[in-house]
Amino acid sequence: MSFNKFPFVETGKPLQATGWPEVFAKIGEHFDQASSNRLIVAIECYQGVIKADIIHQIQSYFQPDVLVTEDHYLLPADVIEEKTRDYITDDRIFGRMNNLTINDLIDEKAAARYRQTIADTATGILFVVGTGACEIVQKADITIYADMARWEIQQRMRSNLVSNIGRKNHDANIEEKYKIGYFLDWRICDAFKKEILPSSDFILDTNNSEDPIMVTTRDYLESLSMVARQPFSLVPFFDPGPWGGQWMKEVCNLNKEEENFAWCFNCVPEENSLLLEFGKETFLETPSINLVFFESVPLLGQRVYEQFGAEFPIRFDFLDTMDGGNLSLQVHPSKEYIAKEFGLSYTQDESYYLMEAGEGARVYLGVKEEADLQTMISELKDANNGGSAFNAENHLCHWPAKKHDHFLIPNGTVHCSGKDCMVLEISATPYIFTFKLWDWGRLGLDGRPRPINIERGSEVIRWNHNESFVKKHLINRVEVLSNGAENREERTGLYDTQFIETRRHWFREPVTHKANGSVHVLNLVEGDEVTISSPDNSFPPLTIGYAETFVVPASVSEYVITPTGKSAGKEVATLKAFVKP
């Protein structure tokens, strides 16, 4: 079975409009039906939506009597920059979480003037377009929520097509725009989305700004409810990197002309999309984080929701170094450090599961028994300042790696995958909080040195996570839970202090899984194909191929996985992650 790069869920719901002519025809219908000969349209935009395109299309199809854009009501860029300076910080990649809202970025005097202009306009079509549009006009006749996927926002940032909210920084480097997005814009937009999207009239998918897709909000939310009650896959997002490899090109059938692919985000709801089929073969692409926001308990389970709120706590992604290079040498902060410095309540514990490994493959994990803090940090600083290359073998443990090995990486443990490894990384979700210590003297794809954080890293390295500790606690801690002739279940991790547990099943016959109050994330780590089905036919079967990741919501109390297709009667293996009770 070939790798499915575009999994989707059939909704059975009708499509309202595809393309700007149909979108505006739908608005025109409402105007024609308006008894007052007046129609107020609010188009609320997530950061990254190209508002200039929407405004151009409005002016092409209508002659609006009033057209208010975010340039009219947001604070000046310099005021926004000053107001948010403490949260954006001077750090190259790290800011600080905060509780700012869209109202903190709105010029209230300007907003009041435009609200009065709208109130004084007795007839015609009036548009308010931009981030915060629904704060300017809170009782629009039609409210359209223009949304888009996080991965597409990043593509537009890289291409200098969009700025951060209220700023004129479209030509800034991607690190700056991403940092402002992560710590400010997306937090503001997500909080406002939770508040206003459910009461909007239409959802507009603007991932293709020239040919958007529109559905009713009612149908959209009912579709999310449907997804939260059946197994599904997110749309994987592949990205190149300075250490990237070649394995995913072949296994995932990617563009062979690309130099490499380093990452695949295959279950990171803040980054990934969810494809929903409306009508026949028309697919609305929506940020998968919306499913977390609006179907929290059915998706996560009540106890997981109470622990984490409307956040998806488990992350799956691929790291490909096959015929590539070493990952950067890195460490993740402690729970105490990430709370103090960045305002988060939990940190990034993780693990490496080896999907494949070449000859001589290895993983760096932990410090040597005799490692000296001052010496190692001094050599790292010297190497990063242009001195002699850092000799990792002098200070760090490295371990041979083979297919199906599982390396556990609690926070504070220095680590990286070496070259010729294909890693399924399983981790907690706060995924940008990585302190790079050494990048092997190479440049990023933009030709600049990648950010190094030796000072921060030195504060969180656990020096007792040395060779003896790693060997005893962090490598292949496999515990056999059941060992039948056709079904073997093993606990493979994660570390005792981590809230995620992983189970590996080897099986030839159908295996029944129970939710036990937590969302499950699984990957088919061995075998060509399996099918996930319901014992009582409460959801349609889902077929999954090798290396594909899928999610089973907590609302699916029981499901069965069966080897099918070329795998029928053969041994296959899944790796499952869930939140420990």
Side-chain angles (χ1 to χ4, degrees), residues 46-49 147-159 161-164 174 177-178 181 186 207 270 287:
Y46 201 89
Q47 186 272 328
V49 172
D147 210 357
M148 62 183 306
R150 189 75 54 82
W151 70 265
E152 173 62 19
I153 297 173
Q154 293 176 62
Q155 300 296 77
R156 294 180 183 184
M157 285 178 168
R158 291 172 183 174
S159 300
L161 294 175
V162 296
S163 296
N164 295 103
I174 179 62
K177 287 182 287 193
Y178 184 91
W186 303 334
N207 286 283
E270 283 198 345

Side-chain angles (χ1 to χ4, degrees), residues 70-84:
E70 65 180 46
D71 290 339
H72 294 129
Y73 58 78
L74 290 181
L75 290 167
D78 59 338
V79 177
I80 289 177
E81 289 171 11
E82 182 61 32
K83 194 170 188 177
T84 60

Side-chain angles (χ1 to χ4, degrees), residues 17 24 49 87 268 305 364 370 384 408 426:
F24 289 122
V49 172
Y87 306 114
V268 186
Y305 174 70
Y364 290 86
E370 65 276 13
N384 282 294
L408 312 183
I426 303 166

Side-chain angles (χ1 to χ4, degrees), residues 411-476:
N411 66 78
T413 311
V414 181
H415 65 280
C416 81
S417 168
K419 64 184 180 69
D420 294 325
C421 290
M422 182 60 210
V423 170
L424 169 60
E425 185 179 54
I426 303 166
S427 74
T429 297
Y431 54 90
I432 75 164
F433 298 94
T434 298
F435 301 150
K436 294 184 179 69
L437 305 172
W438 172 239
D439 206 20
W440 312 96
R442 66 194 166 205
L443 301 177
L445 296 182
D446 59 2
R448 305 170 64 210
R450 296 205 296 163
I452 300 296
N453 290 276
I454 297 172
E455 293 294 342
R456 290 189 184 275
S458 65
E459 295 183 54
V460 301
I461 294 173
R462 298 185 190 275
W463 295 96
N464 63 326
H465 286 197
N466 52 27
E467 184 172 3
S468 57
F469 179 91
V470 171
K471 193 172 185 178
K472 181 178 180 180
H473 297 287
L474 304 185
I475 301 177
N476 289 330

Side-chain angles (χ1 to χ4, degrees), residues 372-396 437-438 454:
D372 177 74
L373 167 63
Q374 298 304 325
T375 301
M376 177 174 154
I377 297 303
S378 176
E379 291 184 14
L380 281 167
K381 289 181 178 178
D382 181 64
N384 282 294
N385 288 327
S388 300
F390 178 70
N391 191 328
E393 282 72 12
N394 286 347
H395 304 277
L396 305 174
L437 305 172
W438 172 239
I454 297 172

Side-chain angles (χ1 to χ4, degrees), residues 40 134 137-141 143:
I40 303 173
C134 287
V137 53
Q138 297 173 347
K139 293 184 179 180
D141 299 301
T143 300

Side-chain angles (χ1 to χ4, degrees), residues 137-274:
V137 53
Q138 297 173 347
K139 293 184 179 180
D141 299 301
I142 299 176
T143 300
I144 299 173
Y145 194 95
D147 210 357
M148 62 183 306
R150 189 75 54 82
W151 70 265
E152 173 62 19
I153 297 173
Q154 293 176 62
Q155 300 296 77
R156 294 180 183 184
M157 285 178 168
R158 291 172 183 174
S159 300
N160 295 331
L161 294 175
V162 296
S163 296
N164 295 103
I165 298 175
R167 302 171 193 249
K168 308 298 182 185
N169 66 339
H170 65 276
D171 56 351
N173 66 66
I174 179 62
E175 289 167 355
E176 177 184 337
K177 287 182 287 193
Y178 184 91
K179 181 178 70 167
I180 297 171
Y182 184 89
F183 287 97
L184 188 69
D185 295 351
W186 303 334
R187 308 303 152 190
I188 287 173
C189 286
D190 286 345
F192 199 42
K193 176 189 287 186
K194 294 175 193 177
E195 178 184 339
I196 66 167
L197 185 146
S199 60
S200 66
D201 299 290
F202 297 100
I203 304 297
L204 190 66
D205 169 7
T206 63
N207 286 283
N208 182 342
S209 61
E210 296 180 358
D211 195 25
I213 293 170
M214 191 168 77
V215 300
T216 67
T217 301
R218 178 178 178 177
D219 285 345
Y220 174 76
L221 292 175
E222 287 180 357
S223 297
L224 292 185
S225 177
M226 183 188 310
V227 174
R229 288 161 176 81
Q230 65 183 68
F232 63 91
S233 289
L234 304 180
V235 182
F237 169 44
F238 301 90
D239 221 13
W243 41 262
Q246 305 299 314
W247 189 89
M248 289 191 294
K249 275 189 191 180
E250 298 300 324
V251 173
C252 304
N253 191 26
L254 305 179
N255 184 356
K256 303 300 189 293
E257 300 302 315
E258 294 289 339
E259 182 177 346
N260 70 59
F261 286 95
W263 289 276
C264 171
F265 301 105
N266 45 16
C267 185
V268 186
E270 283 198 345
E271 301 280 350
N272 287 119
S273 300
L274 181 66

